Amino acid sequence: MRRPAFPTSFLSRVPVDPYVAALLGTVLLAVLLPARGSAATAAGVAAKILVGLLFFLYGARLSTRETIEGLRHWRLHTAVLCCTFVIFPLLGLAARGLVPYVLTPSLYDGFLFLCLVPSTIQSAIAFTSIARGNVAAAICAGSFSSLIGIVLTPLLAAALLGNSGAGFSLDSLLSIVLQLLVPFLAGQALRPWIGGFISRHRTVLGRVDRTSVLMVVYVAFSAGMVRGVWSQVTPWRLLALLGVEAVLLAVMLVLTGYGARRLGFPRADRIAIVFAGSKKGLAAGLPMATVLFGADSSLAVLPLMLFHQLQLMVCAVLAKRFARRAESDAPETTPDEVAVDDVTADDVTADEVAAGAETGDRTAPDQAAIGPARR
């Protein structure tokens, strides 16, 4: 008697990203063994050191040539910044009507903070590379967004969140600048001496990126467990939050694709705008949340973590589809057209999702050295 093939066939299509599994494992570790007392202090210091090292490597990687090349695409960077710091916050404010029926006040604060966080760097470059887009522009767009967000995100949080949870002060702004901007500038200053070494060992950047995020997640969730904040969140609220974030991501993918097309950007630039303008960065957002929200950061970072995993899986599918269209020399398809296509389980495999998170870290710097992709 033949054994039914459904379970194996189904499991082979489930997108299992090792990074997602590591994040879930880190959350579970914080639930079972939260850091307390001196251990929590040591873990917090280690997280700050790793985040500082990450932004130091970001600065050391970004060459002057890439910066100059990126500045020539000022229209592209303006579009990405408008998506990140104007459209996203407006959508976040519009979601206030979901409180308290869909989102609790605490979850909404985290959702709104998610809308204020700068764009990501690593995964935006990875997906743009896979999709045959303008990699050099994606590198600069992600870097510019992160640098501007170091100052702009705390200011927006102070203006829009008010007394809801994010405590803005000159001390908090100085703390964020010292943790993120100063290491980045130090990396830029030392690039003439260490830039070659960083380029030859570029996979180290991806490992530091993931390790720093995992450490910050452990510290934040440990603090939440110690304070008992998780009793405030039910599984139904988490599902509702995930649904709201799925709508947010879909809206941004359509807006970035359609808007870039209407503004007359060529295909390679449109791809960079879609993947840089619709994404949010954990590496920059998590340390900002720990500074601005303090002891309440565990709930504040939850929406950002969920959105990050959602964008990884969805954008991995889109990047692969863009690449297949380019390789087959099919008629040019805009990102917004693909974003609204129906995506079935047959369209994505675990390997494709893993490629979106891992392959780009190895290929993007090589393509960036060539310059913008052919248009």
Side-chain angles (χ1 to χ4, degrees), residues 179-202:
Q179 191 173 355
L180 305 181
L181 181 59
V182 171
F184 183 92
L185 296 177
Q188 274 280 284
L190 294 178
R191 176 177 168 76
W193 295 277
I194 65 175
F197 177 84
I198 298 298
S199 298
R200 291 191 300 271
H201 300 82
R202 54 183 176 271

Side-chain angles (χ1 to χ4, degrees), residues 52-74:
L53 176 61
L54 173 63
F55 276 80
F56 174 82
L57 294 176
Y58 280 158
R61 184 189 62 179
L62 186 63
S63 68
T64 303
R65 184 194 59 78
E66 289 173 346
T67 303
I68 295 175
E69 180 66 32
L71 289 175
R72 295 174 183 172
H73 294 77
W74 63 269

Side-chain angles (χ1 to χ4, degrees), residues 203-251:
T203 56
V204 174
L205 184 59
R207 295 192 183 99
V208 174
D209 187 329
R210 288 160 177 76
T211 303
S212 62
V213 167
L214 293 177
M215 181 61 74
V216 175
V217 167
Y218 176 73
V219 172
F221 275 75
S222 292
M225 286 300 301
V226 172
R227 298 181 67 249
V229 298
W230 294 110
S231 60
Q232 307 172 20
V233 182
T234 64
W236 294 112
R237 294 288 189 180
L238 289 179
L239 287 176
L241 174 63
L242 186 60
V244 173
E245 293 189 346
V247 173
L248 175 67
L249 178 59
V251 169

Side-chain angles (χ1 to χ4, degrees), residues 109-117 153 157 161 285 288-289 292-293 300:
D109 289 343
F111 179 81
L112 182 56
F113 177 73
L114 148 72
C115 295
L116 310 180
V117 170
T153 295
L161 286 168
M288 290 183 187
L292 295 175
F293 289 89

